[in-house]
Amino acid sequence: MNAPAKTDEFVAPEAAASKPAIPDGVYAETVLAVEHYTDHLFRFRMTRPAGFRFRSGEFAMIGLMVGDKPIYRAYSIASPSWDEELEFFSIKVPDGPLTSHLQKIKPGDTVLMRKKPTGTLVLDALTPGKRLYMFSTGTGIAPFASLIRDPETYEKFEEVILTHTCREVAELKYGFDLMEEIREHEFLGELIGDRLKHYPTVTREEYPFQGRITDLMESGKLYTDLGLPPLDPAVDRAMICGSTAMLKDTKLLLEKAGLTEGANNKPAEFVIERAFVG
Ligand code: A2P
């Protein structure tokens, strides 16, 4: 009698035992690239599951096996919906339950993702307009990294303004990298041209553009710097992503200008979402 043939599926019992146990019903994806910006910020790219659909601007639950347990946090998907890979922009918290581990990932490692994306920073939640303002602080730029690379954004809006405010200049680098990637991209560069404006400011270092975005809106400096008129609910739409305090203060200024808050089931003039802390 012949011995059974060894096939590619054959896995020695020792090798199977050393594989991390992946929970049922979640995607297990492979890290493709990691880029560290500062001691507190990094981005990574990973494979995209074949059946995974999302709308640019949405977030997903991302996780890692820590010991024998999965730990998940909400992460905005920073890549656009057409991208074959998924990108995320994260803070590093030294004792953060997830980010203390996530910051150590390397190409080839496995990252978990729950199957259902969600979120309110989507084009469908806004009524038609001419100009789209994206107000972000810190890692709150992530959903906008997705939307500014989606051609649909430019089908719906003539002009897009991305504001990004951080404490320090080094924290702005991801935004500058995105702008360069778009300029150099074979289709996006031409499609977008000068319709996307980037307005980076810092609050705790010397820089040509300084101050909280809320102060720059109130003083009107934001609009004079950009050569644009003040907010007008007839033509301007907005999305906000940052800390809870930043959301509250920016929302008040939008409401003062006459814009109303919308949602997926009730589109209006602006939408907000907390920048999730890993
Ligand atoms: P500031 O340095 O004046 O606090 P954080 O890391 O605390 O989330 O802050 C990120 C950026 O958001 C910082 O530049 C910070 O400015 C700014 N910021 C914090 N709170 C608010 C707020 N309530 N409104 C507008 N900007 C804010």
Side-chain angles (χ1 to χ4, degrees):
M1 218 216 251
N2 290 332
K6 258 195 179 182
T7 67
D8 286 341
E9 281 86 40
F10 179 82
V11 180
E14 335 59 271
S18 67
K19 277 191 170 181
I22 303 297
D24 287 341
V26 299
Y27 296 119
E29 298 306 307
T30 305
V31 175
L32 300 170
V34 184
E35 186 175 356
H36 293 270
Y37 287 102
T38 69
D39 289 349
H40 307 286
L41 293 171
F42 72 110
R43 83 157 140 179
F44 65 95
R45 291 180 71 86
M46 66 183 202
T47 52
R48 176 174 175 169
F52 182 71
R53 298 272 166 276
F54 69 99
R55 293 180 295 172
S56 294
E58 287 189 313
F59 65 86
M61 300 303 289
I62 292 295
L64 281 181
M65 293 302 293
V66 178
D68 57 357
K69 278 210 198 107
I71 296 184
Y72 297 95
R73 290 291 180 273
Y75 270 89
S76 287
I77 302 166
S79 45
S81 59
W82 54 262
D83 201 328
E84 286 169 16
E85 299 171 3
L86 295 175
E87 179 173 316
F88 299 93
F89 184 50
S90 178
I91 54 165
K92 309 178 198 176
V93 182
D95 54 356
L98 178 63
T99 63
S100 60
H101 302 283
L102 196 64
Q103 63 180 282
K104 295 180 193 144
I105 55 170
K106 294 194 171 55
D109 288 353
T110 298
V111 169
L112 307 178
M113 183 171 70
R114 289 217 180 111
K115 294 202 166 172
K116 230 186 112 37
T118 185
T120 53
L121 299 181
V122 290
L123 295 168
D124 292 346
L126 295 174
T127 49
K130 184 173 156 204
R131 230 175 262 127
L132 175 56
Y133 281 89
M134 300 170 171
F135 296 107
S136 70
T137 54
T139 54
I141 192 175
F144 304 140
S146 172
L147 283 157
I148 61 170
R149 292 185 276 183
D150 191 333
E152 197 188 341
T153 304
Y154 305 91
E155 280 163 26
K156 294 202 163 163
F157 293 94
E158 283 172 30
E159 222 173 341
V160 177
I161 300 106
L162 169 65
T163 84
H164 188 208
T165 304
C166 293
R167 295 179 181 197
E168 293 166 13
V169 178
E171 296 169 310
L172 296 174
K173 182 154 189 313
Y174 181 50
F176 281 102
D177 286 356
L178 288 169
M179 295 300 290
E180 197 182 321
E181 273 174 39
I182 290 173
R183 265 195 303 273
E184 287 174 2
H185 190 274
E186 65 176 320
F187 303 119
L188 291 179
E190 200 176 320
L191 172 84
I192 297 170
D194 60 2
R195 291 165 63 199
L196 170 63
K197 295 192 165 57
H198 179 207
Y199 190 80
T201 82
V202 297
T203 49
R204 302 194 189 189
E205 267 184 358
E206 286 294 318
Y207 192 65
F209 296 94
Q210 256 175 310
R212 287 187 171 195
I213 196 64
T214 41
D215 293 337
L216 296 161
M217 290 164 83
E218 265 191 305
S219 69
K221 187 172 186 301
L222 167 68
Y223 310 107
T224 39
D225 282 347
L226 289 167
L228 294 174
L231 286 180
D232 174 357
V235 290
D236 291 322
R237 301 291 172 264
M239 293 178 165
I240 324 172
C241 190
S243 63
T244 310
M246 178 272 192
L247 294 184
K248 182 171 151 271
D249 293 350
T250 315
K251 175 181 147 99
L252 281 175
L253 291 173
L254 295 185
E255 286 173 343
K256 208 165 133 190
L259 283 75
T260 51
E261 187 178 350
N264 270 292
N265 58 359
K266 191 177 161 288
E269 284 117 26
F270 75 91
V271 279
I272 69 177
E273 201 140 76
R274 229 183 115 232
F276 301 102
V277 174

